[in-house]
Amino acid sequence: MSTRPRIVILGAGFGGLFAARALARVAADVTLVDRHNYHLFQPLLYQVATAGLPPSDIAWPIRSILRRQRNARVLLAEVTGIDARGRSVELHDRTIPFDYLVVATGSTHSYFGHEEWQGIAPGLKSIDDATLIRRRILRAFEAAEIEDDPAARERLLRFVIVGGGPTGVELAGTIAELAQHTLAKDFRRIDPSVAKVTLIEAGPRLLAAFREPQSAYAARALERLGVEIRVGAAVTACDERGVVLGAERIEAATVLWAAGVTASPVGRWLGVPIDGAGRVRVRADLSIDGDPAIFVIGDAALVEIGGKRVPGVAPAAKQMGRYVESVIAARLDGRAAPPPFAYRDAGNLATIGRQRAVIEFPFLTLRGWLAWWIWGVAHIYFLVGVPSPVVVSLRWLWEYLTYGRGARLITGSEHAD
Ligand SMILES: Cc1cc2nc3c(=O)[nH]c(=O)nc-3n(C[C@H](O)[C@H](O)[C@H](O)COP(=O)(O)OP(=O)(O)OC[C@H]3O[C@@H](n4cnc5c(N)ncnc54)[C@H](O)[C@@H]3O)c2cc1C
C-alpha cells in the first residue's frame, strides 16, 4: 500500500487530462476517472457530425496518453457522487478515497427546461452525439432519394439548427457545403444542393461572444452558402416534424440543438451553491469554499477575475488544470502558495464552412480565408500532446482540398434514434 498522497481527478477532458499530466512530477498517486475510455477533442466534433473526420481522429484512449506516466492510473467509471466529508468519490459499485480532489467533469446540453426535446433535437457534446447526428443527416438524404411525395421530400431536405454560437455556425456552414458540394453528384433522383439549412438564434445576432462586425460577417458568409438565418427567434416547440417559432412552423426532418450548456452536477455532488448554468463558484486558487483540498476546474467552474468571467473554452480548462497542479505541488512540498489563477485569453475563433472564419485575439481581429487558415493552425497546435496530431492535420487538410467527406458512413442501429 502506497502512503503517498492520493490525488483523484474526475474527468479526462481538457482540464482533467492537463492536470493529470502536470502532476507527473509530483510525488503522489494520481487516479483519473472518466466514463469514457477516451479523451475527446470537442472542437472538431462538428467534423465527425458532418462526416468529415472519423471519430478515431478526434478521440484517443486515455490509457495510451498516460501510458508512460508511472504515478497515474486510469479508471473507466461513472461518477455518481462525492462524499466530501468522508473524503471519497462514489462510483456505481464502489468508492475511491482521496486526499486531494480535482473535479473536471465539464458540461452538457441544456434544453432550458424542455428535456423532452433531447431525443428530437440532439446536441453535440460526445462521439455518440456526433455519430447520431451524422446518421440523421445522411439518412435524411437517403430517405429523400426514395420519397415520391414532394412535400415530404422537402421536409427531409430541410435542416434546422437551433443556436447561433460557434457550434451552430459551424454545423450550418458545413451541412450547407456537404449538400452543395460533397453530395451533389451522388444521388440520381434528388438534387442534394436544394437542401435548405436554417439557423435559428433567439438573441439579436449570431456569435454573441464576438463583437458586432464579426457577427455580421458570419451571417453574410453563411447566407452566401445559402443558409437561412433567423435571429431574434426563439423555438417554442419541437417535434418529429420540425420546430415552431411562435406562430410559425418550420417543417424539417432533422433538427439539431446547439443552444445552451449546463455544467455537470458537481454542485449537487458537493452540496455547494451553483450559478444559473450549474457552475460551482470557486476561490482564487480554484478550490471550493470551505475545503482547500477540493478543486473544480474547466466548464464546471465559475471563475471570475476582476468581475470578468473566464469563458468555457478549452484553453481555459487546460490552464486551470496546470494551475491546480502548481497549488497541490506547493502544498505537498511545504512551499508558499502560488499567486491566484490568472487566465491568459487565447481569443475567440469560429469557422464558417471551409473557407472563412472569424478570429478575435486580444491583439488582432481577422475575418475571411486568412482567419480560416489561422484557425486551422491554432487547432493543429491544440492537438499537440495527443497521439498522431500530424495524421489528423493531414487528413483534415486533404478533406479541405478535395471537398471530401471521407467518413460518410451511416452506422448504428436503424432504430437507435
Ligand atoms: C461541439 C463543441 C465545440 C467546441 N469548440 C471549441 C473550440 O473551438 N475552442 C475551444 O476553446 N473550446 C471549444 N469547445 C469548448 C471546450 O471543448 C470545453 O470548454 C472544454 O472541453 C472544457 O473542458 P473540461 O475539462 O471542463 O470538460 P470536458 O472536456 O467536457 O471533459 C469532461 C470529461 O468528464 C467526463 N465526465 C463527465 N461526467 C462524468 C461522470 N459523471 N463520470 C465520469 N466522467 C465524467 C467526460 O466523459 C469528459 O471526458 C467546444 C465544445 C463543444 C461541445
Side-chain angles (χ1 to χ4, degrees):
M1 282 281 284
S2 164
T3 53
R4 303 201 302 177
R6 297 158 302 183
I7 304 171
V8 174
I9 301 171
L10 309 183
F14 285 106
L17 188 63
F18 275 72
R21 285 170 31 158
L23 284 161
R25 48 182 172 245
V26 173
D29 292 327
V30 177
T31 302
L32 182 56
V33 185
D34 202 291
R35 54 155 73 121
H36 298 122
N37 78 334
Y38 52 81
H39 167 72
L40 176 61
F41 189 76
Q42 292 175 9
L44 288 183
L45 261 179
Y46 81 96
Q47 284 281 351
V48 174
T50 55
L53 291 173
S56 56
D57 272 1
I58 66 156
W60 303 270
I62 304 161
R63 275 185 203 291
S64 75
I65 298 174
L66 294 179
R67 182 185 295 154
R68 291 198 183 83
Q69 189 172 325
R70 301 304 299 264
N71 73 338
R73 67 172 181 152
V74 178
L75 297 184
L76 174 67
E78 173 93 24
V79 174
T80 55
I82 296 167
D83 178 0
R85 272 218 194 134
R87 290 317 212 208
S88 68
V89 172
E90 291 158 6
L91 310 178
H92 277 303
D93 54 353
R94 67 197 64 215
T95 57
I96 326 172
F98 66 82
D99 299 306
Y100 289 91
L101 180 66
V102 181
V103 187
T105 42
S107 54
T108 183
H109 325 290
S110 165
Y111 286 83
F112 308 118
H114 288 284
E115 302 317 310
E116 70 279 10
W117 295 352
Q118 197 162 352
I120 297 158
L124 185 58
K125 190 72 194 161
S126 67
I127 289 282
D128 287 344
D129 295 335
T131 52
L132 181 145
I133 290 174
R134 181 177 75 181
R135 183 160 69 233
R136 288 214 180 160
I137 294 172
L138 296 177
R139 219 197 270 161
F141 285 100
E142 296 296 338
E145 176 79 352
I146 54 173
E147 179 58 62
D148 295 322
D149 175 23
R153 212 182 300 138
E154 200 175 309
R155 194 178 69 82
L156 286 162
L157 292 177
R158 184 89 184 250
F159 300 86
V160 167
I161 295 132
V162 185
T167 300
V169 166
E170 284 165 0
L171 281 171
T174 317
I175 294 172
E177 286 181 342
L178 180 72
Q180 285 161 23
H181 298 286
T182 316
L183 299 180
K185 295 197 179 78
D186 285 11
F187 290 84
R188 297 295 169 261
R189 283 186 77 203
I190 58 160
D191 173 6
S193 69
V194 303
K196 200 161 175 188
V197 180
T198 302
L199 179 59
I200 299 172
E201 165 59 42
R205 60 185 176 95
L206 302 180
L207 299 179
F210 290 74
R211 287 189 289 276
E212 219 288 323
Q214 280 63 265
S215 298
Y217 175 84
R220 282 198 306 277
L222 282 174
E223 277 166 353
R224 228 175 289 144
L225 289 171
V227 175
E228 180 195 27
I229 295 166
R230 308 289 298 270
V231 290
V235 171
T236 48
C238 188
D239 58 39
E240 279 77 11
R241 299 191 60 84
V243 294
V244 177
L245 309 171
E248 184 192 357
R249 181 171 179 89
I250 299 178
E251 293 279 318
T254 310
V255 182
L256 308 177
W257 192 260
V261 291
T262 184
S264 50
V266 180
R268 180 161 50 75
W269 293 340
L270 290 169
V272 294
I274 52 175
D275 73 348
R279 291 172 296 222
V280 171
R281 184 183 291 278
V282 290
R283 296 187 299 195
D285 69 352
L286 308 184
S287 65
I288 62 168
D289 257 339
D291 199 328
I294 298 182
F295 303 85
V296 181
I297 63 171
D299 281 6
L302 172 62
V303 185
E304 277 177 333
I305 301 174
K308 238 181 124 190
R309 192 170 57 74
V310 175
V313 292
K318 287 182 183 183
Q319 290 173 29
M320 290 186 213
R322 290 201 202 98
Y323 175 80
V324 158
E325 180 273 338
S326 69
V327 176
I328 296 175
R331 285 213 208 132
L332 293 178
D333 293 348
R335 285 184 278 117
F341 173 72
Y343 172 57
R344 286 182 312 284
D345 185 0
N348 257 338
L349 295 84
T351 169
I352 310 134
R354 63 189 283 288
Q355 285 183 356
R356 291 187 167 69
V358 289
I359 293 184
E360 280 179 359
F361 289 132
F363 51 90
L364 177 74
T365 299
L366 272 178
R367 305 187 284 263
W369 64 269
L370 183 60
W372 194 94
W373 281 99
I374 293 176
W375 175 87
V377 171
H379 278 68
I380 292 168
Y381 173 73
F382 255 156
L383 291 174
V384 171
V386 302
S388 48
V390 178
V391 174
V392 179
S393 315
L394 287 178
R395 194 193 302 254
W396 192 34
L397 186 67
W398 177 251
E399 300 296 343
Y400 170 74
L401 293 173
T402 61
Y403 271 114
R405 289 275 132 190
R408 225 181 316 147
L409 305 178
I410 298 177
T411 57
S413 155
E414 277 295 300
H415 306 289
D417 42 298

